[in-house]
Amino acid sequence: MGSSSEERTEIAAFFDLKTTNPYRAGPGYAILEFGAILLCPRNLVELSSYSTLIKPAKHAVSIAPTFTEVADKIFDLLHGRIWAGHNIVKFDCVRIREAFAEIGRPAPEPKGTIDTLTLLTPTFGSRARNMKMAAAYFGLGQQSHRSLDDVRMNLEVLKDCIAVFVLDNRQVDVNMQERPIAEYSGMFSIPIASEGSSGHAGFLAPDEVSILYVRATYVPIYRSQRIQLLHRDVLLQLYSSGLKVRSGRPRLSIVVDMLPSLCHVLGACDLVSQKLTMDSGSSSDWRPLVNRRNGSSSPTVRLNIPLLANGDIDIYETEIYQKEASGNAQRLVFTRFDLGELHSLFLPGTLVEAYFSLDVYDYQQYAGVRLAAKKLIINSR
């Protein structure tokens, strides 16, 4: 399958190799498995994938194809595209060139390279070489040590690396040269919609947010100041559907599973808020916004339901709606605060839509980002 040079500039190849581990006096590396995904570099959406086991030379027992038999496919996947992966500059790229040289063929050449090892090294030092450590740090689960699975995990690490680089207000181009965001804002950014273009006035859906434009800043509040999260210099408030109530009796909050798109946005918000808080001299313990340590593959987040004093009675400040199967949503009216009533509405497995603000706090030696639900829509089972 051929592609024009113009098409190739718009597609990145994220790949991984599994090889033999040669003895010092024995033969060199032999590729045992190749896995790659092609993705759009502007929004990191996977377009296609390919993986194959490879029979090393002089091994007649394997039913896998030889490298010669898959060389055309691998060349077409890689040549003229951005190459990305973990430790690819010093290992995978070298092995690819060696494998093509062994069969007397010219090797594919990249338009540029992105190596997550280079991205992680400033934070983790020599430990960055261990992808298992990086995956654990970002809460991405366990490596399977199969090429295609590891490629997809490396991609998730890259997305989180981008969020970390936002903290330094810099971005890395395809040749690993650092540039200010303003000079190279197109690469890796998610397409931006205008504020509220999703139909949720004043609230953005996760896919409308570019983490490159999320920042934390101090704003004056009465005689003090507080941190606010902004997106393109506008107060950031989010909308998300498909949130599944996890479990447990709600105590003016509900814990929900969330989709990866929301997880990445909240992760970026958490990072920039923590950096500004710590840089301002706070010694408080930071409480991560996203909970990845619950024994499940799905990260969770807590949505708080604030109270509003109405005379001598506390009522919910959050607007709560019930959506019927017809799609009509009716606002529920509460005359008082009742935990039991709240629990009956948000049973485990219930799907909700949420409109919420992100409030940064630093109180009594604890700091973090608190999600305050402005509006909750409960979907009928």
Side-chain angles (χ1 to χ4, degrees), residues 38-53:
L38 299 184
L39 62 154
C40 173
R42 293 189 176 275
N43 55 18
L44 299 183
V45 171
E46 182 176 329
L47 303 175
S48 63
S49 64
Y50 172 76
S51 66
T52 181
L53 296 172

Side-chain angles (χ1 to χ4, degrees), residues 323-364:
K323 180 182 284 188
E324 302 301 330
S326 63
N328 295 324
Q330 182 176 356
R331 185 173 180 179
L332 303 180
V333 178
F334 303 91
T335 57
R336 60 189 176 88
F337 158 60
D338 186 335
L339 270 180
E341 187 176 31
L342 199 64
H343 174 61
S344 68
L345 292 172
F346 297 101
L347 296 174
T350 301
L351 291 176
V352 299
E353 301 170 41
Y355 300 75
F356 54 91
S357 62
L358 300 93
D359 304 327
V360 184
Y361 66 89
D362 188 351
Y363 180 69
Q364 293 185 345

Side-chain angles (χ1 to χ4, degrees), residues 179-219:
R179 297 182 181 179
I181 288 175
E183 292 182 21
Y184 203 62
S185 59
M187 187 67 174
F188 301 121
S189 60
I190 299 171
I192 303 298
S194 61
E195 300 296 325
S197 67
S198 58
H200 315 293
F203 295 82
L204 293 177
D207 60 1
E208 294 177 320
V209 176
S210 169
I211 60 175
L212 298 176
Y213 294 99
V214 173
R215 68 184 183 93
T217 186
Y218 275 105
V219 296

Side-chain angles (χ1 to χ4, degrees), residues 84-98:
H86 191 73
N87 194 27
I88 63 167
V89 172
K90 293 186 177 180
F91 187 81
D92 300 73
C93 296
V94 176
R95 305 286 86 80
I96 285 289
R97 292 185 177 103
E98 289 175 349

Side-chain angles (χ1 to χ4, degrees), residues 144-164:
S144 70
H145 295 292
R146 296 302 302 270
S147 288
L148 201 56
D149 290 339
D150 285 357
V151 164
R152 291 193 171 106
M153 178 173 284
N154 292 351
L155 174 58
E156 295 306 310
V157 169
L158 175 61
K159 291 178 181 179
D160 286 313
C161 286
I162 294 168
V164 171

